[in-house]
Amino acid sequence: MTLRLFNTLTGQLDALEPADGKALRMYACGPTVYDYGHIGNFRTFLQIDILRRFLRLTGTPVRHVMNITDVDDKIIRNSAEAGVSIGEYTARYVEAFFEDLEALRIERPEQIARATEHIPQMASLVEKLARAGAAYKAEDGSWYFRLKAFPEYGKLSKKDLSGMEDGARVDVDEYEKDSARDFALWKAAKPGETSWETAIGQGRPGWHIECSAMAMEYLGESFDLHCGGEDLMFPHHENEIAQSETATHKPFARHWMHVRFLLVDGRKMSKSEGNFYTPRDLLLKGYKASAIRLALISVPYRRPFNFTFDSLTDATNAIDRLRTFQARLKAGKFAAGESKEMQEAAAEARIKYDNALGNDLNTAEALAAIFELARAANTAMDQGQFFASDRDAILPVLRDFDAVFDVIEDRDAEPARRAMAWAEQAGRMGDVAPELKAAQSLGDEAIEALVAERTTAKQARNFARADEIRKELAEKGVVLEDSKDGVRWKRK
RNA sequence: GGCGCGGUACCCAAGUGGUAAGGGAGAGGUCUGCAAAACCUUUAUGCGCCGGUUCGAUCCCGGCCCGCGCCUCCA
C-alpha cells in the first residue's frame, strides 16, 4: 500500500515514499509557545498524526521532526510584561503542549527541536547565504534575505510576485530593506531584549530560519515531506524554500502537505470573536478527549473542518458505538467455526479501510468501512450467525483501525482527571461542568462494587434495590448494560 | 482587487459520467424484569440556481447566487 498524498508543490496526488527506501523523513511546523494551543492547532497536529500512524501501519518507519518556536515577538513581549525570562515564560506552555498532545493521543515526533537550542545552526545558515550573496546586513545589524536571489520564489503558493516587488508601499519600520518583500533572517538585538551573540552579530532569529536550520540539522539538506497548517504555506514555507534551496542548491522538501483550517460555526476562530477553544476548555466542559480527537480527524485534512459542539456530541456517540461493539465481540461467547459472510466482510472492510486512507488520507471513508463492518457483525450476532473465528477475523481489523484513529480503547479518564487538576491550579474550577465533577468523584472501584451489589440483588430478585443502584450510577454518568454475557458499565 | 476552496437529507459528511457511503439526531418496530445495547423500517426521484456537452451529470464545461479561507502575525 503506497500512500497517495496531495502535494502542494505539484498540485496533484503524489506517492509518498522515503527517498532512501528506509524511513520517511518528515518535518512538521510545531507550535509557538506563547499561549495554550487551541483546537485549530491540534487539528493540524492530529491530521499529521494520522499520516504518521498510517505510514507505520503500512510498514514505513518515519523520522518525524517537529520544532517548537520558543522565541518570537509575542514571547518576548509577553515575557517582558510578566517580568520573567523567555525560558521561564515558555516553560509552562511547552509543558501544557505535551500534556495536550498526550490527552489527544498525538504521538510524540521522533525529534523535538527547540529554536533556542539551535541558534548557532541558524547563524551559520545565514552566513552561508551571505557568502552566496543572498543575504545582506542592514544598518541596524539585522539580516535579510534578498528575494531576487531566488527566481523560483512563489512556486509553492503559486504566487507571481515578479510584478509587485519594487515601487510597492514599504512599511515605515522596514526602511532598511533593499526591497519590500525581502524577509528577515536575523533581527538585531534591541536594548533589554533577549538576544544571542553569534558570528553574524548580536540578535535573535527571524521566524523562518529556524525551520530551515533545524530541518537540515536532523533530516539533511533534502528530505521527503514537510507539513503544516495551510496558513503557513505563504509566506513561511515559501521563505523556507527560498533560503534553504538558495543555500544548498538542492530541493528542500520533495513533498508538501498542508492541513486546512478549522472554523468555528463557519468562521475563523479568533479570540476577539469569542469562539476560541483549547482542548482544555472542552475537557472542562465534560467532553471526552477521544471525542475531541475523533471530531478533529473525521473530516479529511484537505477540507476545512467546521467545529461545533454538535460535532463533539456526534463524535462522542459514534465512539460509544464502536466501543460497545468491541466490548460485545470480546465478551461474547461464540461457537467454534466461521461464517463465510463475516470472513468476507472483515476482509472487505480491511481493504476499504486501507484504500481510503491510502487515497489522500480519506478518514471519512475509512470510518465508514469500520461502521459498515460493525453493523454487519452486530446483525450476525443478533441472528446467531456469528462464530469464534469471525471474532478472530474482526478484532485485528479493529486493532488496525485503532492503530491510526486511536479512539476505541478508552483512555479518557486520565485527560479528564488532569484537566480538573489543571483547572484547580489555574483558578478555573468555575468552568468545570457539574457532570465532570460528579464523574470524577466516583472511582472505578466504587462503580465495580455497586455493580456487584446490584448483580446480587438481581439474583435475589430484589429489583427495587437493583434499579436504585442503576439510578444512583446514572446520576454520576455511569450507564449499565445487562446482557447474557454479564454487565458492562461505561461513563457517559 | 489577486489566488483558492466549498454549497449533498434535520445536523455532520464521503463519493462517482449510469442513477446517492457512513456517523449523529428524529419516528415506528423487534428484543427486554427495568434500562441500555443491538437489529429492522423510515427521513434527498434528489446532490445551490440556470444553461451546455452527453444515450445519460450530483459528478465535465460556461454563467450566476451564497458562504468561507489566504494575500499581514497565525495551525
Side-chain angles (χ1 to χ4, degrees):
Chain A
M1 182 82 231
T2 299
L3 171 61
R4 288 166 65 245
L5 186 75
F6 186 82
N7 184 354
T8 308
L9 203 52
T10 61
Q12 61 187 26
L13 296 185
D14 290 337
L16 181 65
E17 287 163 312
D20 65 5
K22 293 181 232 156
L24 189 109
R25 287 171 295 151
M26 58 186 276
Y27 185 89
C29 287
T32 302
V33 283
Y34 66 95
D35 201 350
Y36 293 105
H38 58 248
I39 54 175
N41 296 321
F42 288 106
R43 146 113 141 147
T44 297
F45 302 139
L46 240 5
Q47 294 287 356
I48 293 169
D49 188 55
I50 296 300
L51 169 78
R52 68 171 342 255
R53 284 168 177 261
F54 181 63
L55 284 169
R56 284 221 321 280
L57 183 65
T58 57
T60 303
V62 296
R63 175 151 175 74
H64 174 185
V65 179
M66 182 175 74
N67 69 296
I68 289 185
T69 302
D70 54 0
V71 53
D72 86 324
D73 292 349
K74 279 188 196 125
I75 290 170
I76 288 172
R77 188 195 63 207
N78 294 2
S79 61
E81 278 171 11
V84 297
S85 71
I86 64 167
E88 238 177 294
Y89 178 79
T90 56
R92 63 191 294 201
Y93 296 117
V94 172
E95 193 191 339
F97 176 66
F98 287 124
E99 247 180 53
D100 291 343
L101 287 187
E102 230 174 280
L104 297 176
R105 303 207 52 80
I106 299 170
E107 292 182 341
R108 271 278 257 270
E110 280 63 34
Q111 177 77 47
I112 303 281
R114 293 179 64 147
T116 53
E117 291 168 5
H118 298 80
I119 302 289
Q121 288 91 330
M122 298 183 215
S124 72
L125 184 56
V126 174
E127 279 188 297
K128 197 169 180 183
L129 288 169
R131 283 197 298 275
Y136 59 91
K137 190 174 188 176
E139 263 179 47
D140 72 341
S142 294
W143 287 82
Y144 293 95
F145 182 83
R146 193 187 311 283
L147 221 59
K148 284 183 180 139
F150 190 66
E152 290 176 89
Y153 192 78
K155 68 179 176 182
L156 181 71
S157 54
K158 321 282 185 251
K159 283 185 195 303
D160 180 10
L161 302 175
S162 55
M164 48 192 301
E165 264 191 37
D166 292 319
R169 187 167 48 87
V170 178
D171 291 350
V172 283
D173 59 337
E174 294 181 338
Y175 58 91
E176 292 178 305
K177 296 198 286 189
D178 286 1
S179 175
R181 290 263 173 186
D182 289 354
F183 58 88
L185 294 164
W186 182 259
K187 298 184 179 182
K190 288 186 192 150
E193 280 187 1
T194 305
S195 64
W196 286 262
E197 176 60 44
T198 70
I200 55 169
Q202 181 84 24
R204 61 191 170 88
W207 174 31
H208 317 293
I209 197 75
E210 66 170 273
C211 288
S212 290
M214 298 194 291
M216 288 185 205
E217 170 86 5
Y218 296 107
L219 298 174
E221 295 183 338
S222 202
F223 54 96
D224 299 311
L225 173 70
H226 193 128
C227 356
E230 64 167 327
D231 55 314
L232 297 184
M233 199 166 90
F234 184 89
H236 184 52
H237 290 162
E238 204 71 75
N239 291 353
E240 281 185 53
I241 290 174
Q243 64 200 185
S244 303
E245 300 193 352
T246 301
T248 67
H249 302 289
K250 290 178 190 161
F252 186 45
R254 296 157 47 221
H255 209 121
W256 290 79
M257 169 193 184
H258 291 99
V259 180
R260 295 214 54 189
F261 260 120
L262 169 144
L263 305 173
V264 174
D265 295 324
R267 319 214 123 253
K268 186 166 171 171
M269 180 168 68
S270 77
K271 283 183 177 164
S272 54
E273 293 232 14
N275 62 358
F276 186 91
Y277 301 104
T278 65
R280 310 160 104 83
D281 294 332
L282 303 178
L283 289 170
L284 293 187
K285 284 178 188 289
Y287 293 102
K288 293 177 179 177
S290 58
I292 301 171
R293 178 176 170 94
L294 184 63
L296 298 183
I297 61 181
S298 57
V299 174
Y301 80 94
R302 222 142 57 78
R303 298 261 196 179
F305 172 67
N306 187 21
F307 174 85
T308 59
F309 285 99
D310 278 352
S311 68
L312 283 183
T313 305
D314 289 358
T316 304
N317 294 336
I319 289 171
D320 193 38
R321 184 170 162 79
L322 292 176
R323 288 182 179 172
T324 301
F325 173 56
Q326 190 184 59
R328 187 179 186 189
L329 277 182
K330 286 186 170 169
K333 314 253 190 308
F334 305 109
E338 64 175 51
S339 93
K340 186 159 168 282
E341 291 72 28
M342 270 301 108
Q343 295 295 319
E344 283 174 4
E348 275 168 24
R350 187 62 182 77
I351 290 168
K352 184 174 172 186
Y353 173 71
D354 247 6
N355 287 342
L357 290 179
N359 181 23
D360 206 21
L361 301 175
N362 192 332
T363 48
E365 214 171 286
L367 229 21
I370 298 306
F371 278 103
E372 277 166 20
L373 177 62
R375 180 160 33 71
N378 273 323
T379 301
M381 285 189 268
D382 280 359
Q383 296 172 345
Q385 296 298 317
F386 192 91
F387 305 95
S389 298
D390 298 333
R391 169 181 50 205
D392 298 342
I394 291 173
L395 283 176
V397 180
L398 292 186
R399 189 196 59 218
D400 288 348
F401 169 77
D402 232 24
V404 177
F405 283 74
D406 205 352
V407 294
I408 298 183
E409 284 307 319
D410 186 347
R411 299 186 179 91
D412 289 323
E414 183 61 11
R417 195 192 60 72
R418 274 211 205 172
M420 281 261 289
W422 173 77
E424 195 145 1
Q425 175 210 321
R428 288 194 49 185
M429 283 308 278
D431 294 334
V432 180
E435 312 86 72
L436 181 60
K437 283 184 186 153
Q440 290 292 306
S441 69
L442 191 65
D444 289 5
E445 312 72 33
I447 296 172
E448 303 281 7
L450 283 167
V451 168
E453 189 193 334
R454 177 171 168 275
T455 303
T456 311
K458 263 176 62 177
Q459 278 159 357
R461 301 198 64 78
N462 181 357
F463 292 123
R465 176 59 188 150
D467 288 352
E468 203 176 285
I469 292 172
R470 176 192 290 289
K471 196 168 164 236
E472 191 182 331
L473 286 170
E475 280 163 6
K476 303 227 166 167
V478 177
V479 179
L480 303 184
E481 284 174 29
D482 292 332
S483 79
K484 62 178 165 59
D485 298 312
V487 185
R488 172 175 176 245
W489 65 266
K490 64 189 181 193
R491 293 179 188 272
K492 251 300 176 220

